[in-house]
Amino acid sequence: MKETEKYVLPSLKAAQIRTREKATIEHSLFSIPAQARHLGAGRKFYLRTYGCQANERDSETIAGILFALGFEQTNYEEEADLILLNTCAVRKNAEDKVLGELGLLKKLRQSNPDLLFGICGCMAQEEEIVRTILKKYPHVDLIFGTHNLHRLPVLLFQAMVAKEKTVEVYSKEGEVIENLPVHRFGKHKAWVNIMYGCDKFCTYCIVPYTRGKERSRLPEDILSEVLQLKQQGFREVTLLGQNVNAYGKDLDQNYGLPELLAAVAQTGIDRIRFTTSHPWDFTDNLVEVIARYPNIMPFIHLPVQSGNNEILKIMGRRYTVEQYKHVYDLIRAQLPNCAFSTDIIVGFPNETEEQFQDTLDLVDYCQFDNVYSFIYSPREGTPAARMEDNVPQAIKEERLQRLMKKTNAYSLLNNQKYLGKIVRVLVDGPSKKNEQVFSGYTEENKLVNFTGENVHPGDIVTVEITQCKSWTLDGKMVKEA
Ligand code: 5AD
Ligand code: SF4
């Protein structure tokens, strides 16, 4: 049998097609077959996560499944019996990192011949990447994708016990599965998926192909998860989706992100965040809800990508600079203390110096607290990858530097406004550099290092800011007023 017949391989063509069928929601689909129940006994797994919060949350599911199979977790590759890389495909450099790592890790097999290597996440959804791995990285034993995490017990059994190379990647999304185990990596802050996939199809982006079509979870499932987290002592939830503003559209219940946010706020959990927003369907109604509830945090990540209308058009972003500014102004008017962050891509095909200048002008207008800036990276199978990537690398890099110089200056300027102010900080723990100093985030998502006594992770404390740097604030804990 040919290799390709033995495996379930992803197909770019199939991933490009959207069907009208609604996703079904399953509350009991996941199970562990009897023969796999003790698969992990006496074994350790090492799991490394690349990319965005969706991947972080998926890794918590993967860890949950592995613990249910009896594995222990290790932070040292050398101790592991199973090394799993949960990968990101959003830019080429993310992929190169993983492929480089795969080459380096191979030598661990010399000291542990039974060591199993697995790849999952967005790279596993890419047809070309999977072919490359099969050809050039034959030591990889297991490949599975973002749509079939629930199959992990069966796939691991096949790879570990039957010792067969196992490749199973579904090109298309399946059900929304509600009964997957989860092992949360945080004790006080939790990720909560509210929807999966993306139907926006921005022309540069691989995500609609690697993560499938938009599928919302039911409000009652989300709310019961949040209530459970609150009972367990979690103080902050971040509602996750590739495009959270589209929440609920596929459920036809006349219930969208504003309604969901209000209901989550009414659970009384201390802090609520949500990401990622799309400016296209950021409604007045949503802004009102954010302003109404004090436990919805005044921090918004609103990717703009470019400050030029022609570029936005060929990016397929579906809004103009004027519309973006309108949403921005609306939020500023209703939430004067709201912090903003954004994503910007430089060097998109055909981007001229003047068009790049428009992006710099928009940064001057919005004065973002934080900007994640990226050099455009062509992704196979996306419409932009068929455009000529005609901005020379040196110019892309120079634009990135100029952009970052400007955005860093605004980060500092925004932080300086906090000098002498009193802020509320959710404590993560002692800071990495100094055990006497604690760190945590303000409501506006500013990282604060502060001194104080009797401080515990998970506390929400009051801190006076004494020094402001570009990326962090320093302060000292003060008694609550
Ligand atoms: N090249 C560069 N940056 C990209 N992003 C998404 N796709 C690409 C690409 N092909 C950026 C966008 C997005 C963020 C998560 O990554 O800015 O908002
Ligand atoms: Fe997340 Fe996108 Fe990267 Fe996938 S490709 S891990 S969805 S950022």
Side-chain angles (χ1 to χ4, degrees):
M1 193 167 26
K2 278 209 301 213
E3 276 214 327
T4 44
E5 289 167 9
K6 251 182 7 206
Y7 306 140
V8 180
L9 295 168
S11 141
L12 176 63
K13 266 220 173 84
Q16 283 169 332
I17 298 165
R18 282 289 187 272
T19 59
R20 282 180 188 281
E21 274 160 53
K22 289 221 184 309
T24 55
I25 297 180
E26 298 287 344
H27 288 87
S28 56
L29 192 89
F30 174 76
S31 66
I32 297 178
Q35 83 260 35
R37 219 154 269 166
H38 303 291
L39 210 50
R43 293 189 165 111
K44 290 184 178 161
F45 74 89
Y46 172 91
L47 174 60
R48 188 179 298 174
T49 311
Y50 301 80
C52 66
Q53 293 95 337
N55 260 17
E56 293 283 341
R57 180 60 188 78
D58 279 354
S59 281
E60 294 184 335
T61 296
I62 291 167
I65 295 175
L66 293 174
F67 280 117
L69 295 174
F71 280 90
E72 281 176 52
Q73 188 171 17
T74 173
N75 293 324
Y76 304 100
E77 295 102 315
E78 311 80 46
E79 282 185 8
D81 303 285
L82 165 66
I83 292 183
L84 209 48
L85 305 183
N86 188 7
T87 63
C88 170
V90 84
R91 282 172 293 274
K92 185 168 183 298
N93 55 7
E95 290 181 354
D96 290 345
K97 236 194 271 171
V98 170
L99 295 177
E101 198 58 29
L102 264 184
L104 288 176
L105 289 170
K106 186 176 158 188
K107 64 172 187 305
L108 292 174
R109 212 169 273 122
Q110 287 162 5
S111 47
N112 180 2
D114 287 332
L115 173 60
L116 209 82
F117 287 106
I119 293 281
C120 58
C122 286
M123 274 171 79
Q125 292 295 141
E126 290 183 289
E127 193 175 328
E128 269 311 302
I129 290 280
V130 173
R131 287 188 201 285
T132 304
I133 293 174
L134 287 174
K135 214 188 284 161
K136 298 198 179 146
Y137 302 84
H139 58 291
V140 173
D141 311 279
L142 169 65
I143 306 178
F144 61 99
T146 59
H147 301 313
N148 62 343
L149 301 187
H150 64 289
R151 293 268 302 155
L152 187 54
V154 176
L155 301 177
L156 257 182
F157 183 83
Q158 194 174 316
M160 275 173 75
V161 181
K163 296 210 180 297
E164 286 169 24
K165 190 191 276 269
T166 301
V167 182
E168 184 183 277
V169 183
Y170 301 166
S171 304
K172 300 206 70 63
E173 66 289 327
E175 307 81 356
V176 170
I177 303 173
E178 286 294 343
N179 70 325
L180 290 168
V182 53
H183 173 84
R184 310 247 176 211
F185 295 135
K187 285 201 174 65
H188 310 287
K189 302 198 280 196
W191 308 114
V192 175
N193 284 319
I194 63 167
M195 60 185 299
Y196 306 96
C198 180
D199 288 344
K200 279 281 183 278
F201 289 98
C202 302
T203 56
Y204 51 80
C205 189
I206 190 89
V207 171
Y209 315 103
T210 63
R211 293 261 168 194
K213 75 172 175 192
E214 287 173 358
R215 291 148 284 149
S216 298
R217 290 180 68 201
L218 293 173
E220 54 266 37
D221 289 331
I222 299 167
L223 290 169
S224 76
E225 184 176 340
V226 172
L227 277 171
Q228 198 189 9
L229 288 164
K230 188 182 167 218
Q231 275 155 14
Q232 290 167 350
F234 282 84
R235 308 209 70 176
E236 178 176 303
V237 290
T238 301
L239 309 183
L240 286 184
Q242 305 301 338
N243 167 22
V244 288
N245 299 67
Y247 172 76
K249 288 194 176 161
D250 55 317
L251 295 176
D252 296 332
Q253 295 184 355
N254 230 345
Y255 190 101
L257 186 62
E259 290 76 15
L260 180 70
L261 265 179
V264 173
Q266 283 157 19
T267 65
I269 189 129
D270 295 281
R271 289 183 164 199
I272 301 152
R273 302 185 188 279
F274 56 95
T275 199
T276 296
S277 282
H278 192 291
W280 192 60
D281 28 26
F282 209 109
T283 57
D284 299 14
N285 198 0
L286 178 59
V287 182
E288 269 164 40
V289 170
I290 300 168
R292 192 179 324 142
Y293 293 95
N295 55 347
I296 303 179
M297 296 296 100
F299 166 72
I300 291 176
H301 180 61
L302 197 60
V304 66
Q305 313 299 358
S306 165
N308 174 270
N309 282 339
E310 285 106 71
I311 294 293
L312 285 174
K313 191 153 192 210
I314 54 172
M315 283 179 164
R317 289 293 288 176
R318 310 177 195 208
Y319 55 81
T320 61
V321 176
E322 293 69 32
Q323 284 165 328
Y324 184 89
K325 285 181 175 169
H326 173 76
V327 173
Y328 174 87
D329 290 339
L330 198 74
I331 300 170
R332 272 265 174 270
Q334 296 232 24
L335 295 149
N337 298 324
C338 185
F340 273 91
S341 65
T342 198
D343 293 341
I344 291 176
I345 298 176
V346 300
F348 194 75
N350 299 308
E351 186 190 61
T352 64
E353 173 58 27
E354 290 71 34
Q355 290 171 328
F356 173 66
Q357 275 295 338
D358 289 344
T359 297
L360 294 180
D361 290 347
L362 184 79
V363 170
D364 282 327
Y365 186 89
C366 297
Q367 308 199 354
F368 298 103
D369 292 78
N370 216 339
V371 177
Y372 302 91
S373 30
F374 310 104
I375 288 180
Y376 168 67
S377 169
R379 306 284 61 214
E380 168 143 8
T382 62
R386 293 193 289 274
M387 303 173 196
E388 193 192 348
D389 183 16
N390 52 3
V391 180
Q393 186 63 19
I395 297 206
K396 287 181 180 171
E397 280 166 22
E398 186 249 355
R399 284 183 191 162
L400 185 73
Q401 290 311 317
R402 278 159 66 203
L403 176 63
M404 283 171 55
K405 197 165 162 221
K406 191 179 266 301
T407 60
N408 292 353
Y410 282 120
S411 295
L412 180 61
L413 193 73
N414 282 309
N415 276 359
Q416 281 167 341
K417 292 179 195 152
Y418 285 85
L419 192 65
K421 289 237 168 85
I422 306 286
V423 292
R424 307 265 294 153
V425 176
L426 171 54
V427 182
D428 283 331
S431 97
K432 280 190 197 116
K433 287 188 208 137
N434 184 348
E435 288 271 311
Q436 310 297 315
V437 174
F438 298 90
S439 71
Y441 285 83
T442 69
E443 300 192 331
E444 304 83 3
N445 211 31
K446 304 273 178 192
L447 179 58
V448 181
N449 294 312
F450 66 97
T451 51
E453 272 165 32
N454 244 333
V455 180
H456 308 103
D459 288 351
I460 295 182
V461 297
T462 315
V463 174
E464 182 182 341
I465 300 303
T466 52
Q467 204 187 347
C468 309
K469 306 171 189 160
S470 297
W471 314 120
T472 54
L473 303 173
D474 290 344
K476 58 173 194 284
M477 197 170 121
V478 290
K479 286 237 155 51
E480 223 156 305

